[in-house]
Amino acid sequence: MDRTYAGSYGRLKVLRLEFLNQDFMKSLIDKTPEEILQALSTTSYREDLDALSAFSSGTRLLEMAINRHLIKKNRQAMQAPPPAARKFLESYFSKWDIENVKTILSSKFIGYDLKKRKNSS
């Protein structure tokens, strides 16, 4: 392994412990949003839930906390690799943002209003 990646690998290996395991994720399937919030408050999501709980609650809090957590993890991932590899991650995350914007614009163009959509099942 290239020595410039050894430290990065170690940092990422530690961050991996913060990801939710498959069993935990499966346990959330049949839970209500409030039960999911309660379960996530015992994980690395607690900081995000605490920071946003004054602004929102329920499903909206859950969505905001997950997004905030993802953004933090993306920032950590951007800092993890050696400088020569960071450009790749910047390009990847930029493409992700562009795809999200394209999806929103396409939805608006065809007249699809996300606010009107209810649970279809």
Side-chain angles (χ1 to χ4, degrees):
M1 177 185 283
D2 184 345
R3 287 184 298 159
T4 59
Y5 287 89
S8 299
Y9 178 76
R11 286 191 300 274
L12 290 173
K13 194 79 166 160
V14 169
L15 289 176
R16 186 173 188 263
L17 298 174
E18 292 185 17
F19 285 95
L20 304 176
N21 67 43
Q22 191 171 10
D23 292 335
F24 184 85
M25 295 295 289
K26 285 180 181 179
S27 76
L28 300 177
I29 291 174
D30 294 325
K31 294 189 178 197
T32 66
E34 290 303 322
E35 291 170 329
I36 294 172
L37 286 169
Q38 215 169 24
L40 287 177
S41 70
T42 65
T43 68
S44 60
Y45 285 80
R46 181 183 184 110
E47 178 186 338
D48 305 297
L49 292 167
D50 290 346
L52 298 168
S53 63
F55 304 107
S56 195
S57 62
T59 306
R60 183 73 178 136
L61 173 60
L62 186 58
E63 180 183 349
M64 290 171 58
I66 290 170
N67 287 338
R68 183 178 192 262
H69 196 78
L70 178 63
I71 290 167
K72 286 187 340 188
K73 293 302 166 208
N74 285 348
R75 285 185 182 151
Q76 287 176 327
M78 290 283 289
Q79 298 305 314
R86 287 188 187 151
K87 272 296 186 197
F88 169 76
L89 283 177
E90 289 173 12
S91 298
Y92 177 78
F93 289 137
S94 295
K95 182 179 181 336
W96 188 18
D97 287 342
I98 290 168
E99 290 300 319
N100 286 335
V101 170
K102 283 175 26 181
T103 301
I104 292 167
L105 292 175
S106 297
S107 297
K108 288 184 180 238
F109 180 74
I110 62 173
Y112 186 76
D113 186 2
L114 296 176
K115 293 179 183 175
K116 291 180 185 176
R117 182 163 170 89
K118 297 290 183 192
N119 188 357
S120 60
S121 47

